[in-house]
Amino acid sequence: MTDVRDATGTAVVTPLGDLDADAVELLRESLAEAVRDHRHVIVDLHAAPTIDSAGLSMLVRAYNEAKSHGGALSLAAPSRYVVTVLHTMKLHQVFPLYEDVGAALSA
């Protein structure tokens, strides 16, 4: 369900499907471990075309956890649908959004 890579001290977590309640159960631990073990975490959303409230909640929790440890969590390659949901929920002002993982790593 996920692919976790460590790129230059930054964890890249890649959900391999929609961020819905089923995916959250599989992704939660990988994301929590990445946030715990790395200062910077990028969630690569290129393979996650949709997101629901469970997915949003998980991302917000991970963002808050990263921030509380002096780290950062950003989102790369969100689909148009995901960006629309983030804008609707005003979360585009919270999460740094990048076109792809390369852009997030360069930031």
Side-chain angles (χ1 to χ4, degrees):
M1 187 71 201
T2 64
D3 172 36
V4 179
R5 296 176 280 145
D6 188 325
T8 64
T10 299
V12 179
V13 179
T14 306
L16 301 176
D18 296 325
L19 283 181
D20 56 18
D22 292 333
V24 166
E25 290 303 316
L26 298 171
L27 183 60
R28 182 179 287 126
E29 185 56 37
S30 295
L31 190 54
E33 183 177 316
V35 167
R36 192 171 44 245
D37 295 343
H38 297 84
R39 186 164 174 83
H40 301 285
V41 176
I42 300 167
V43 181
D44 179 4
L45 296 172
H46 82 273
T50 66
I51 191 167
D52 68 9
S53 61
L56 285 173
S57 177
M58 177 193 61
L59 290 178
V60 169
R61 279 193 308 271
Y63 173 86
N64 288 334
E65 186 68 18
K67 191 172 178 181
S68 75
H69 290 104
L73 184 137
S74 58
L75 307 179
S79 70
R80 183 178 300 231
Y81 179 87
V82 171
V83 170
T84 299
V85 171
L86 292 171
H87 275 269
T88 301
M89 302 305 295
K90 307 276 192 252
L91 291 172
H92 67 289
Q93 300 169 347
V94 173
F95 293 105
L97 301 176
Y98 298 96
E99 184 177 324
D100 55 33
V101 171
L105 287 169
S106 296

